[in-house]
Amino acid sequence: MSPSGDMYQFGFKKGLSTGLCTSVVKRTVDYYLNRGSYVLSYTCFIDFQKALNRVNYSKLFAQMLDDGSDACFVKLLAYWYSHQTLCVYWQGLFSEKFSIGIGTRQGRVLSPYLFTRYVRPLISALSSSRLGCNIGGLIVNMLTYADDMVLLAPSWYALQSLLLERLCTELDIVCNRPTIKMLCMIFRQRIWIGARAQF
């Protein structure tokens, strides 16, 4: 796996699944719970709001050029995406066409790749922070499946430090409100305590 943080993304990859991602979370929690009565495992489950629909084209294509992607290919994608038009069909009638300024195309072959590339800076920043759970020198502080993310930390302070609000703002990524799809959990001696996140 590359050091960019791609190893923490389980979505849109052959041979990986939500079950495997869940298993890694459980094993990480168990690792900490089985090593001393004072060790806690804090987790925060985050869901990004309409994540694929919020991808900023100019930032995405700039990232791809920075990666060394073929400039002609990136220009072609930029043209396609900047010239998209849609209309609404309702009760036998079509609306006027309108332009689409952001978002990857739902159900298209390239959309998963484009989305995972777009959020790579966020995942890389988290994985390189060296905060969170440490297992034999490997930092396991975050796992993602598509637009769902779980943060893992041995303390409440470390968990709070992993919430990269500034970077999310730069990427135009919005987390769902705590009362809807965001949940914090504390694991201790095989007893878990669930609490809605309050940030």
Side-chain angles (χ1 to χ4, degrees):
M1 297 288 187
S2 72
S4 65
D6 285 348
M7 64 180 291
Y8 298 98
Q9 172 62 266
F10 285 71
F12 313 125
K13 291 182 178 179
K14 185 178 180 180
L16 301 184
S17 65
T18 54
L20 181 59
C21 186
T22 301
S23 177
V24 175
V25 173
K26 289 180 178 179
R27 288 173 179 267
T28 302
V29 171
D30 285 343
Y31 177 88
Y32 269 77
L33 293 182
N34 294 331
R35 280 163 174 76
S37 59
Y38 296 104
V39 177
L40 299 178
S41 181
Y42 293 81
T43 60
C44 182
F45 297 88
I46 297 173
D47 181 77
F48 296 119
Q49 188 180 83
K50 298 181 179 179
L52 273 69
N53 294 333
R54 299 186 65 89
V55 172
N56 182 300
Y57 299 150
S58 60
K59 294 177 182 178
L60 169 64
F61 297 135
Q63 290 173 358
M64 293 178 68
L65 290 173
D66 290 341
D67 287 345
S69 298
D70 184 89
C72 291
F73 176 67
V74 176
K75 286 180 181 178
L76 178 62
L77 286 177
Y79 179 84
W80 282 349
Y81 274 86
S82 62
H83 288 79
Q84 291 182 103
T85 57
L86 293 178
C87 65
V88 177
Y89 178 77
W90 179 253
Q91 295 185 352
L93 299 174
F94 288 93
S95 70
E96 292 185 7
K97 292 183 179 180
F98 55 92
S99 299
I100 303 296
I102 59 173
T104 58
R105 302 176 70 180
Q106 301 292 322
R108 300 297 181 174
V109 175
L110 270 180
S111 295
Y113 166 78
L114 296 176
F115 175 75
T116 53
R117 177 59 192 91
Y118 185 68
V119 297
R120 189 182 295 165
L122 176 62
I123 296 174
S124 296
L126 287 168
S127 62
S128 63
S129 69
R130 307 300 294 173
L131 294 169
C133 296
N134 187 320
I135 301 178
L138 175 66
I139 299 296
V140 184
N141 58 5
M142 158 267 315
L143 297 167
T144 63
Y145 192 91
D147 59 339
D148 293 308
M149 177 181 289
V150 59
L151 303 177
L152 300 151
S155 71
W156 182 248
Y157 174 78
L159 182 62
Q160 288 181 309
S161 299
L162 289 173
L163 297 171
L164 299 179
E165 183 178 353
R166 177 189 58 79
L167 192 52
C168 284
T169 301
E170 288 179 5
L171 291 175
D172 303 318
I173 294 175
V174 176
C175 295
N176 270 307
R177 291 178 301 177
T179 54
I180 299 178
K181 290 187 176 180
M182 199 167 168
L183 177 72
C184 283
M185 298 176 74
I186 302 171
F187 295 86
R188 184 174 187 177
Q189 296 178 340
R190 301 200 176 279
I191 298 174
W192 65 267
I193 304 169
R196 291 291 178 185
Q198 298 295 331
F199 301 110

